[in-house]
Amino acid sequence: MSTATPSTLREGWSVIGRGIRGQPRWFGLAVVGSVVYGIMTSLTAAAIGFVVDRAVTPAIAARSVTAGQLWFIGGVMSAVVLTTILGVIGRRLAGGVAMFNLGAMYRRQVTRQYLRLPLSWHHKHPSGQLLSNANADVEATWNIFGPLPMALGVVVMLVFGVLQMLIVDPWLAVVGLTVFPMLFVANIAFQRAMSPRVTRAQQLRADVSEVAHESFEAALIVKSLGREDHEAERFRAVTHELRDANIEVGRTRGRFDPAIEAIPTIGTLAVLFVGTLRVRSGLLSPAEVVQIAYLFSILAFPVRALGWVLAELPRAVVGWKRISAVLDAEGSMAYGPRRLPTGTASHLQAESLSYAYEIETEQGDADLNPAVVDVSLDIAPGSTVALVGPTGSGKSTLTNLMMRLVDPDTGAVLVDGIDLRQVRQGGVSEVAALVAQQTFMFDDSVRGNITLGLDHDDDAVWRSLDVAQGAGFVGDLRDGLDTHVGERGASLSGGQRQRIALARAVIREPQLLILDDATSAVDPSVEQAILSRLREASTGTTVLVVAYRMATILLADEVVYLEEGRVIDHGSHEQLLSRCVGYERLVTAYARESAERDAIAADEEVSR
Amino acid sequence: MSMRGQPIVEHHGIASGTEMSTWATLKRGFVLSPELKKGIWVTVALAVLSTLGRVLVPFVVQRITDEGLLADGGPDLGSVAMYIGVALGGVVVTAFSAYFVNIRLFQASENGLATLRTKAFRHIHDLAMLTQNTERRGSLVSRVTSDVDTISTFVQFGGLMLLINVAQITLATVLMVVYSPLLGLVVWVCFVPLFVIIRKFQGIVGRAYTRVRERVGDMLGAVSEAVVGAQAIRAYGVEERTAQRIDAAVEAHRKAAIGAQARSVIAFTSGQLVSGMTTAVVLVVGTVLAARGSLTLGELLAFLFLVNLFTQPVQQATEILNEMQNAVAGWRRVIGIIDTEADVADPGDRGVTLPRGPITVQFNGVGFAYPGGDPVLHDIDLTIAPRSRVAIVGETGSGKSTLAKLLTRLMDPTTGTVQLDGVDLDSIRFSTLRSRVVLVPQEGFLFDGTLLDNVRFGRPEATEDDVRLTLTELGLDPWVATLPLGLATDVGQRGESLSAGERQLVALARAYLADPDLLVLDEATSAVDPSTEVRLQRALDSLTRGRTSIAIAHRLSTAQAADEVIVVDAGRIVERGHHTDLVRLGGVYAGLHDSWVAQQTTV
């Protein structure tokens, strides 16, 4: 948690500097507007004094007023007002544009980083946190550009005010010169007291959001287990913490606000007192005293803008720290210059691949949990290989390595003899397609989800849907291919999402197709149809398929059996069946079960 | 879930209450957060006191000028000192009352908004599943977070300041009229057009802020794809396309935000323009009056102070009214969700509490259609005997999942009734319904925490030993042993550190530990390997004896083990009976079974 140490101020200035460099023109315009506003506001009193002196007093003395005098009064005052307002518009509008431009700019940068950083980085960062980096933290960082131009204008205003006082009377200037630093000191003290409290409130705000996010995503589970009260209690607890933190912020503000407000008023009174003394000594005219007193009353409010900037500073610094953690994140994948050969089925090789996930032990230390251990494979072009293994044996991790979604800790993946790490960015997905176990749908139309922006006509889309056995249900949708699938495809069933995901892979006519249990949510008959159509459609394709079902396995030329991340055996289905116990138990589980059930049923019938 | 005829949900499905007027919104808001009104009159009294102090100061300054500085025969130090003393008193009173006002306001508003947040949160969970699905999750989150935050600034300062401003405007008007009725009139004549403009701008600014709030939701949706869809995006190399989609959403938000800013700047500066021009007009008219001798120069200058006293609160009020539109936009969205009817509602105290024990399930003429869609279930009549193990099978889209959702009351049937032990489902209290009937969906969501905490989510009072026993009973010990930290293994957010099959194992253990009398499994083991599934099946067979269990499955091994198989096709029950009998029957089930067997055969 950061407090308003001098380093917060320094870091704050560096954030501000970065923002100014990002939007120099709009920010410059806002500052010009603000300076105009500042000068004109502090000149308002002088302008009134000026017209009173030049027009009002002579008119009263003459007991008659000329049209010229009235035009003069109206003209001078209108000019002051209009210029002031131009300044305000410039300040607020240009300031707003600068602020929102910065927000948009950094949102783009942060999300580019999300797209650039490797999957392993994503695994380590909760998505709730990444969402708030792109939203709340960006906002917190650049919000300071709201009051900032105003504050800079106020500084100019103060300099002008002091100058005016100096011109009128040095003694009154001394009063001013003591009041303004007092204000500054009070504001600094205010900012120091606020900083830790505001930071804490900001953190709790993120916590509230995280609880809500998780709880709403789990809505179905919460409902079906009847845990609404429990979830409401969890949310209430964190909400009340936020409430207490906010009240603490309010308490601090309550203490400082009235004091900061009182200082300029006390200044006005001091001016009047000192002024009276000076008038008695005949060194000053009453009008001059009134003018300075008026100046004080006008400056009192804008000066608080300085306080706002200082109060925003800790939030900006905290926000920036969170953003820059993303922007500075290292470990992006390095890409080579090479392309993978196209036109023929790929030759896929794995050379002693190992991969371990980083985990945290109960003591909070980092540890490694090996998922793939020393795996070597050689998959001939055009062949189909089934990857079989019990739940949690590292099959999905292996498919991720094959697509270079993650890089192995040791070993290499080669496609047509080329190490995937030497392939240029986007080069792997040009030839290979992965249908993951858990499909991801974009908030887009069915068509958009299949083409993903590639230039395919509707015929091609329907053909691929046909292979994936999805043409039927898509045809039944109200808007066909134009139907929007909703967030994460919420309006579709699991089986429908899987078939769209399959069509997405099929339409690309990949040379290497990796299916990670991609038909788990469809019926046996549909799966059967998908697999036979895939076999017809994918003659020039090397297929790696993670499978449990015998029918799928039987489509394969070779089977690789995995246990706890290691290749236990590989060969034809018959070979493995005869020599690999684990494999035999796994793939014949249903058949054995079925046979036993049949036997029991037969027994029962006999005994009946 | 079947898609036949189901309309695709639209975003922003739950009312944002845009049709609700500002006044109605504020009124409803105060009802929902009673803390806002608690002790409000003491706060108002203190606020008036602090305003009086604020008004006193310029007034005294004017007196000092008139009676002290400009006194006949030179400045009168005595009266200046006296007035300064009075003014200092005013400053002290203002400071102290402002301090208490601040604290009282923060307490009232934060308490009130915390209540609003928790009410909205709870209500979102009470909403029917279908209603929940009409809105993006991120948008639901914003209703209990940023929407409420936009209210807070307004309730903490704006609302009361508005009252104070009105008080100050009134007071200033009275003083102006006392000084010079004519100039008072001049000031008001100048301001009338402003009041008209402000009214007009309220709607414009309000709509602009509503747009901003909607764009924020879109933007979050787009960004979340880059985060949640990280794997798919990389697998298909669509980083650039995703970036463009995000850019479009970011740009739409930027434009909306600048648009709202521009509108509020115009509204605000029109107030400043009128204020400034009023000063000019007062000077002009005042000079005429002074020249005619009906006003002294001192009185004219004093009047300018009063004009300032009048214009400042008017300007502030314009600003607050803009801010209020922002707050009301947020408030409307929160109220919109709280006032959305929870149509699959808990009967609560009026409801029936079922005793524990095996459950009989009955469907009487049940039909179901998704809102605005064609029926997906027709005229289902079905009785499931207590203690029986039933498998529901059918092709994808046949309506079997819909059956599961109806019998766990995640949805209510369009026609007919579902009964448990002869009691209509919709008159059973949720407290008993949810503890006695548990559904395990295909994608069981896991919370970011340890395996232990996830398994006991349905029964938090369960001890670690209870959890161990459950896992042992389900035959999952060997699996737990492969996890790096056993029960203490962190499953990651959404359980992503585990594989899909492993997540299903946890979800199943979680439901089993909750100890329901009726267990409904909706493709709950679809991603688990065959031998684990068979083991699990056997374990469940013996464990669920004495209770009723219903399994929806496309792996027919489950059906074979069941006491009875119910075959659903195109929304109707077409066959039911024991596996062996159905295979012999040679109908729909026999067809399904053939293709299943074909998949399992070795040759």
Side-chain angles (χ1 to χ4, degrees):
Chain A
M1 196 181 287
S2 94
T3 48
T5 52
S7 87
T8 303
L9 271 177
R10 203 179 52 239
E11 286 167 337
W13 292 126
S14 109
V15 173
I16 289 172
R18 201 176 288 273
I20 294 173
R21 282 195 298 279
Q23 288 289 318
R25 290 201 186 158
W26 287 109
F27 183 74
L29 197 58
V31 171
V32 169
S34 189
V35 167
V36 168
Y37 161 77
I39 293 173
M40 293 319 288
T41 305
S42 63
L43 276 181
T44 307
I48 292 179
F50 178 67
V51 296
V52 167
D53 202 36
R54 289 292 176 85
V56 182
T57 318
I60 295 174
R63 294 200 155 271
S64 81
V65 61
T66 64
Q69 282 170 324
L70 292 181
W71 279 114
F72 176 75
I73 296 170
V76 170
M77 292 309 292
S78 303
V80 170
V81 168
L82 288 176
T83 322
T84 311
I85 282 172
L86 277 181
V88 171
I89 293 179
R91 184 192 83 215
R92 289 204 164 198
L93 208 53
V97 172
M99 177 168 85
F100 294 124
N101 281 357
L102 281 169
M105 206 165 111
Y106 277 87
R107 284 192 172 113
R108 281 194 291 266
Q109 286 185 18
V110 165
T111 48
R112 282 290 189 292
Q113 223 15 32
Y114 291 167
L115 291 168
R116 197 179 66 81
L117 287 165
L119 213 50
S120 53
W121 184 86
H122 277 270
H123 287 317
K124 281 180 232 149
H125 294 83
S127 50
Q129 195 193 314
L130 298 187
L131 275 180
S132 94
N133 286 154
N135 184 40
D137 290 332
V138 167
E139 203 168 288
T141 307
W142 304 121
N143 258 355
I144 199 166
F145 276 74
L148 185 63
M150 169 90 167
L152 293 179
V154 167
V155 171
V156 174
M157 199 192 288
L158 291 184
V159 171
F160 244 75
V162 171
L163 278 179
Q164 282 188 52
M165 284 180 222
L166 277 174
I167 291 167
V168 172
D169 184 65
W171 282 100
L172 290 183
V174 168
V175 174
L177 286 173
T178 48
V179 167
F180 292 142
M182 262 170 74
L183 265 178
F184 192 72
V185 168
N187 272 317
I188 292 275
F190 175 53
Q191 179 247 342
R192 291 204 174 177
M194 283 295 269
S195 178
R197 294 174 171 86
V198 168
T199 310
R200 180 169 153 72
Q202 184 75 356
Q203 269 164 357
L204 284 167
R205 203 163 271 142
D207 290 352
V208 167
S209 159
E210 219 166 288
V211 171
H213 221 282
E214 187 177 53
S215 189
F216 293 160
E217 283 208 49
L220 182 64
I221 296 301
V222 171
K223 217 181 249 306
S224 65
L225 286 168
R227 303 306 296 160
E228 291 95 339
D229 286 338
H230 171 256
E231 287 298 286
E233 180 51 38
R234 194 157 78 99
F235 184 74
R236 199 191 61 82
V238 62
T239 297
H240 281 196
E241 262 189 82
L242 171 63
R243 177 197 67 187
D244 295 343
N246 276 340
I247 290 178
E248 198 44 47
V249 168
R251 222 177 262 287
T252 313
R253 190 185 282 273
R255 271 201 300 277
F256 279 92
D257 251 12
I260 291 174
E261 192 187 331
I263 292 172
T265 312
I266 293 171
T268 312
L269 296 175
V271 164
L272 284 171
F273 188 73
V274 174
T276 310
L277 291 179
R278 302 283 291 161
V279 172
R280 260 163 69 102
S281 323
L283 296 166
L284 220 55
S285 77
E288 285 168 323
V289 177
V290 172
Q291 186 195 328
I292 299 299
Y294 189 76
L295 186 67
F296 260 84
S297 73
I298 283 181
L299 291 183
F301 186 70
V303 161
R304 307 185 71 187
L306 284 179
W308 300 332
V309 167
L310 289 170
E312 280 285 330
L313 215 52
R315 270 189 78 202
V317 170
V318 171
W320 174 249
K321 278 186 180 156
R322 296 173 107 153
I323 299 176
S324 50
V326 174
L327 294 180
D328 299 342
E330 296 285 334
S332 70
M333 281 188 163
Y335 295 95
R338 303 186 67 175
R339 279 169 166 272
L340 291 171
T342 53
T344 53
S346 303
H347 180 200
L348 178 64
Q349 289 165 288
E351 290 177 350
S352 42
L353 287 180
S354 290
Y355 185 83
Y357 288 102
E358 280 175 38
I359 54 159
E360 208 173 84
T361 64
E362 274 164 293
Q363 290 76 41
D365 305 322
D367 200 356
L368 291 176
N369 182 33
V372 169
V373 185
D374 196 26
V375 168
S376 294
L377 296 172
D378 192 333
I379 299 175
S383 66
T384 298
V385 171
L387 202 55
V388 182
T391 303
S393 56
K395 302 181 296 292
S396 294
T397 307
L398 197 53
T399 61
N400 285 348
L401 286 166
M402 300 295 188
M403 285 295 293
R404 209 196 166 200
L405 294 176
V406 289
D407 275 333
D409 297 331
T410 57
V413 178
L414 310 178
V415 169
D416 292 329
I418 299 170
D419 189 328
L420 289 186
R421 282 171 293 208
Q422 294 169 1
V423 176
R424 67 192 186 97
Q425 184 165 15
V428 176
S429 57
E430 281 170 357
V431 301
L434 165 75
V435 185
Q437 191 172 33
Q438 210 139 34
T439 54
F440 182 83
M441 292 285 120
F442 293 89
D443 191 358
D444 199 343
S445 64
V446 172
R447 181 190 292 103
N449 265 294
I450 292 173
T451 62
L452 293 182
L454 292 183
D455 197 16
H456 289 293
D457 59 18
D458 281 5
D459 283 348
V461 174
W462 282 115
R463 272 199 306 279
S464 66
L465 270 171
D466 211 34
V467 173
Q469 303 297 305
F473 85 83
V474 173
D476 285 346
L477 293 175
R478 196 170 49 185
D479 298 318
L481 290 180
D482 291 316
T483 308
H484 265 81
V485 302
E487 187 185 35
R488 319 262 183 285
S491 65
L492 303 174
S493 73
Q496 290 168 334
R497 285 199 293 269
Q498 279 193 339
R499 281 176 278 173
I500 291 182
L502 273 166
R504 182 190 285 169
V506 169
I507 202 169
R508 302 180 157 227
E509 297 174 353
Q511 293 157 226
L512 172 62
L513 177 62
I514 301 179
L515 304 174
D516 184 3
D517 199 17
T519 49
S520 62
V522 299
D523 304 319
S525 55
V526 176
E527 186 189 26
Q528 206 54 28
I530 291 174
L531 293 174
S532 58
R533 288 299 306 273
L534 264 181
R535 204 162 165 76
E536 290 164 26
S538 60
T539 40
T541 306
T542 308
V543 181
L544 180 65
V545 53
V546 173
Y548 293 133
R549 296 178 201 176
M550 195 73 84
T552 322
I553 295 169
L554 286 176
L555 294 175
D557 306 304
E558 194 186 9
V559 179
V560 175
Y561 181 65
L562 227 59
E563 250 178 44
E564 293 189 25
R566 294 170 197 274
V567 175
I568 301 296
D569 202 348
H570 66 99
S572 74
H573 169 68
E574 287 76 17
Q575 288 171 331
L576 260 63
L577 209 53
S578 60
R579 68 183 185 215
C580 179
V581 184
Y583 177 76
E584 194 262 345
R585 295 190 62 82
L586 188 78
V587 297
T588 59
Y590 292 141
R592 273 185 291 120
E593 173 78 357
S594 176
E596 277 175 41
R597 299 260 181 209
D598 282 344
I600 293 168
D603 280 355
E604 278 170 1
E605 217 143 296
V606 169
S607 58
R608 231 187 258 168
Chain B
M1 191 196 302
S2 162
M3 272 302 304
R4 264 171 223 162
Q6 183 189 354
I8 292 299
V9 291
E10 302 291 342
H11 289 318
H12 315 299
I14 296 173
S16 299
T18 27
E19 65 288 343
M20 215 175 179
S21 77
T22 304
W23 184 238
T25 309
L26 293 176
K27 255 175 36 186
R28 182 86 183 106
F30 272 83
V31 171
L32 289 172
S33 306
E35 292 90 342
L36 291 179
K37 275 197 292 203
K38 211 173 136 200
I40 182 99
W41 294 113
V42 178
T43 315
V44 168
L46 282 168
V48 168
L49 195 62
S50 76
T51 314
L52 281 179
R54 281 197 192 96
V55 175
L56 182 70
V57 171
F59 189 67
V60 167
V61 168
Q62 185 268 323
R63 297 267 91 176
I64 292 173
T65 325
D66 256 18
E67 294 177 16
L69 265 177
L70 301 172
D72 296 332
D76 178 355
L77 197 58
S79 71
V80 169
M82 193 263 293
Y83 277 119
I84 287 179
V86 171
L88 281 176
V91 169
V92 170
V93 169
T94 303
F96 272 95
S97 46
Y99 168 71
F100 286 112
V101 167
N102 272 334
I103 285 176
R104 292 180 63 87
L105 272 179
F106 260 95
Q107 260 161 358
S109 63
E110 285 300 329
N111 277 309
L113 295 181
T115 305
L116 187 68
R117 263 190 234 273
T118 41
K119 263 185 195 161
F121 178 89
R122 178 57 213 244
H123 192 76
I124 288 172
H125 274 305
D126 284 342
L127 288 174
M129 181 192 74
L130 288 177
T131 318
Q132 287 173 345
N133 287 348
T134 54
E135 185 145 311
R136 292 194 192 108
R137 301 289 137 141
S139 178
L140 287 177
V141 173
S142 78
R143 304 230 189 192
V144 295
T145 54
S146 63
D147 286 340
V148 177
D149 291 337
T150 60
I151 306 172
S152 71
T153 355
F154 172 70
V155 228
Q156 277 156 12
F157 307 101
L160 194 70
M161 281 312 294
L162 209 56
L163 284 181
I164 292 172
N165 286 333
V166 170
Q168 195 175 332
I169 290 167
T170 316
L171 195 63
T173 307
V174 171
L175 286 176
M176 286 191 302
V177 171
V178 169
Y179 263 81
S180 164
L182 187 63
L183 283 181
L185 185 68
V186 167
V187 171
W188 267 90
V189 166
C190 290
F191 269 89
V192 167
L194 179 68
F195 294 141
V196 176
I197 295 171
I198 288 175
R199 266 193 77 87
K200 206 165 179 65
F201 260 102
Q202 283 300 289
I204 297 174
V205 173
R207 282 190 293 279
Y209 278 121
T210 305
R211 268 197 299 281
V212 173
R213 300 230 59 75
E214 285 171 3
R215 293 295 93 79
V216 170
D218 294 346
M219 187 173 72
L220 282 179
V223 174
S224 77
E225 286 195 341
V227 173
V228 183
Q231 190 197 29
I233 289 165
R234 280 158 188 74
Y236 283 90
V238 287
E239 288 90 347
E240 195 42 48
R241 172 180 143 91
T242 313
Q244 279 164 11
R245 284 160 61 92
I246 294 172
D247 286 357
V250 167
E251 180 61 14
H253 170 257
R254 187 189 72 92
K255 282 205 174 118
I258 290 176
Q261 175 86 354
R263 283 166 182 80
S264 80
V265 167
I266 294 169
F268 175 73
T269 44
S270 59
Q272 220 169 16
L273 177 71
V274 172
S275 301
M277 294 316 277
T278 304
T279 310
V281 172
V282 165
L283 256 179
V284 169
V285 177
T287 306
V288 174
L289 291 179
R292 289 193 187 151
S294 50
L295 205 66
T296 67
L297 179 59
E299 281 169 333
L300 177 57
L301 290 179
F303 196 87
L304 283 180
F305 263 111
L306 288 177
V307 172
N308 212 16
L309 213 57
F310 179 86
T311 57
Q312 256 178 8
V314 171
Q315 283 183 43
Q316 206 171 19
T318 2
E319 185 110 277
I320 292 168
L321 285 174
N322 287 341
E323 213 173 77
M324 184 175 85
Q325 285 306 322
N326 196 4
V328 165
W331 222 333
R332 275 195 190 115
R333 280 169 55 83
V334 184
I335 291 172
I337 204 129
I338 291 180
D339 288 350
T340 301
E341 202 188 333
D343 46 7
V344 182
D346 185 358
D349 293 336
R350 288 172 291 114
V352 179
T353 306
L354 289 180
R356 288 218 56 151
I359 287 180
T360 314
V361 179
Q362 257 182 300
F363 279 71
N364 305 319
V366 168
F368 184 80
Y370 285 96
D374 298 328
V376 289
L377 282 183
H378 313 268
D379 210 20
I380 301 279
D381 284 301
L382 178 68
T383 305
I384 293 172
R387 293 191 182 80
S388 62
R389 284 166 298 139
V390 172
I392 301 179
V393 300
E395 293 196 359
T396 306
S398 58
K400 53 188 194 299
S401 268
T402 307
L403 269 181
K405 291 193 175 95
L406 290 176
L407 93 91
T408 49
R409 205 170 173 231
L410 290 173
M411 312 186 294
D412 280 336
T414 320
T415 58
T417 55
V418 181
Q419 292 182 325
L420 297 186
D421 291 345
V423 180
D424 279 0
L425 205 51
D426 59 10
S427 58
I428 300 174
R429 299 183 64 161
F430 274 17
S431 53
T432 55
L433 179 66
R434 299 300 184 210
S435 64
R436 300 204 49 215
V437 181
V438 167
L439 169 83
V440 188
Q442 187 173 13
E443 280 167 30
F445 185 94
L446 300 192
F447 291 82
D448 191 358
T450 61
L451 174 62
L452 177 68
D453 288 339
N454 269 290
V455 173
R456 66 177 170 202
F457 177 74
R459 196 152 68 92
E461 70 277 11
T463 63
E464 193 170 329
D465 285 338
D466 294 336
V467 173
R468 280 187 202 287
L469 184 64
T470 298
L471 292 167
T472 309
E473 284 180 339
L474 290 172
L476 295 177
D477 282 342
W479 168 66
V480 175
T482 64
L483 296 175
L485 299 172
L487 274 183
T489 305
D490 206 316
V491 303
Q493 48 165 346
R494 291 189 223 98
E496 277 169 2
S497 301
L498 302 180
S499 76
E502 291 174 317
R503 284 199 290 274
Q504 288 189 334
L505 298 180
V506 182
L508 199 69
R510 171 169 67 189
Y512 178 67
L513 182 68
D515 193 24
D517 293 314
L518 171 59
L519 188 60
V520 184
L521 307 174
D522 186 1
E523 309 267 16
T525 50
S526 61
V528 174
D529 73 70
S531 61
T532 307
E533 193 189 18
V534 166
R535 265 209 319 279
L536 212 53
Q537 187 66 52
R538 298 209 153 190
L540 280 175
D541 275 359
S542 54
L543 296 171
T544 55
R545 293 232 179 267
R547 39 188 124 197
T548 316
S549 80
I550 297 175
I552 289 159
H554 55 241
R555 291 187 179 179
L556 296 194
S557 57
T558 315
Q560 203 172 356
D563 298 331
E564 190 180 24
V565 180
I566 292 168
V567 185
V568 184
D569 190 40
R572 294 178 198 276
I573 295 177
V574 290
E575 287 166 18
R576 59 182 298 189
H578 190 266
H579 165 79
T580 351
D581 302 329
L582 290 182
V583 171
R584 252 178 243 151
L585 193 69
V588 177
Y589 183 77
L592 286 171
H593 187 251
D594 281 351
S595 76
W596 165 252
V597 170
Q599 280 196 309
Q600 301 315 317
T601 345
T602 32
V603 185

